[in-house]
Amino acid sequence: MTSPKTAVVTGASSGIGAATARQLAAAGYHVFCAARRRDRIEALAVEIGGTAVECDVTSVESVAGLAAAVGERLDVLVNNAGGAFGASPVSAADSDEWRQMYEVNVIGLMQVTRALLPALLASGAGAILNVGSTAGRIAYEGGAGYTAAKHGTQVVTETLRLELWDQPVRIMEIAPGMVKTDEFALVRFEGDREKAEAVYAGVAEPLVAEDIADAITWMVTRPPHVNIDELVIRPRAQATHHKVHRVT
């Protein structure tokens, strides 16, 4: 009996990460659910038959613990941990919020990738999928810190693909647009539910976490010679970042 394929999903405690862990498990993967909130990932791991690993991607020591838990072989890495904090213009930017966004969206992604790359290569057909954003392709007022960080996610992805061109690992990015989850906007606006709900106001069908998880699962389960370099995914109602059909 062959061992099941394995996958790591960071930021697995909620939203896109939790949905992706569920869908990869349904596709036959043993999923290492990595996040800071142990209670949530332990419940998720029990639900899907995976393994919970408490991990802060911005900590080298914590990421080393994740690599130790995974072991010598890994098939799929989904770098999903990330986030947006604040929406101030550059003139009133909070330096700590900017550092936090760069740490989790870029440095954290690098540290997890660096630690798990040997195991991915050892699989003979590894896949790294970075969860970026349409914010990594545009600019908008009040979003400079987040867009700068997500541009970083995109460029790290492109650089990895160049550096690992002759290695048995695919490098991919998914760039979602408007996705309504329980926490993303609420965290960004520091718990201000009115501001968070205004982001999605009047949009009949924004994307949800399961839509992104479905796309991620499709991308990583293509044959090993098929690399989906990047997939930009938006709800039908969102033509671009600033042009959204809202029913009032």
Side-chain angles (χ1 to χ4, degrees):
M1 183 176 178
T2 59
S3 299
K5 289 187 174 183
T6 55
V8 166
V9 179
T10 66
S13 60
S14 65
I16 292 170
T20 299
R22 290 187 177 99
Q23 292 207 25
L24 287 175
Y29 288 82
H30 181 91
V31 182
F32 292 87
C33 307
R36 294 176 298 173
R37 292 179 286 186
R38 174 170 286 279
D39 58 334
R40 292 198 177 197
I41 55 173
E42 284 181 343
L44 177 61
V46 169
E47 175 192 335
I48 67 174
T51 300
V53 184
E54 186 175 352
C55 181
D56 177 355
V57 300
T58 68
S59 164
V60 172
E61 294 77 14
S62 188
V63 171
L66 172 61
V70 169
E72 297 181 354
R73 185 183 183 281
L74 177 66
D75 296 287
V76 171
L77 167 60
V78 179
N79 278 311
N80 168 71
F85 310 107
S88 300
V90 175
S91 59
D94 184 307
S95 298
D96 289 336
E97 287 180 344
W98 279 49
R99 288 191 187 95
Q100 189 178 5
M101 285 186 278
Y102 194 80
E103 283 282 345
V104 69
N105 290 291
V106 183
I107 302 296
L109 179 151
M110 175 275 289
Q111 291 183 160
V112 174
T113 301
R114 182 178 63 192
L116 295 179
L117 185 56
L120 287 156
L121 294 176
S123 74
I128 298 171
L129 190 144
N130 297 329
V131 179
S133 171
T134 53
R137 285 145 179 83
I138 50 86
Y140 61 91
E141 301 94 327
Y146 183 57
T147 58
K150 283 303 187 183
H151 274 80
T153 299
Q154 180 191 30
V155 172
V156 171
T157 305
E158 293 176 350
T159 304
L160 272 170
R161 193 177 302 117
L162 292 170
E163 292 175 346
L164 299 173
W165 65 278
D166 60 348
Q167 298 300 309
V169 60
R170 293 177 290 154
I171 313 295
M172 297 170 277
E173 181 194 6
I174 189 166
M178 180 179 284
V179 184
K180 187 175 185 179
T181 63
D182 292 336
E183 295 187 351
F184 180 84
L186 199 61
V187 170
R188 183 170 202 173
F189 295 112
E190 299 179 317
D192 188 322
R193 190 165 295 278
E194 185 176 352
K195 285 185 178 179
E197 291 179 353
V199 174
Y200 313 104
V203 181
E205 292 181 297
L207 297 178
V208 294
E210 289 72 19
D211 295 320
I212 310 307
D214 179 56
I216 289 171
T217 302
W218 176 78
M219 291 169 75
V220 301
T221 55
R222 295 311 84 209
H225 70 288
V226 178
N227 196 94
I228 310 300
D229 287 15
E230 62 178 53
L231 191 158
V232 176
I233 178 170
R234 295 186 177 97
R236 184 183 60 187
Q238 185 182 33
T240 188
H241 184 80
H242 65 277
K243 193 172 183 67
V244 179
H245 178 59
R246 299 179 189 270
V247 179
T248 58

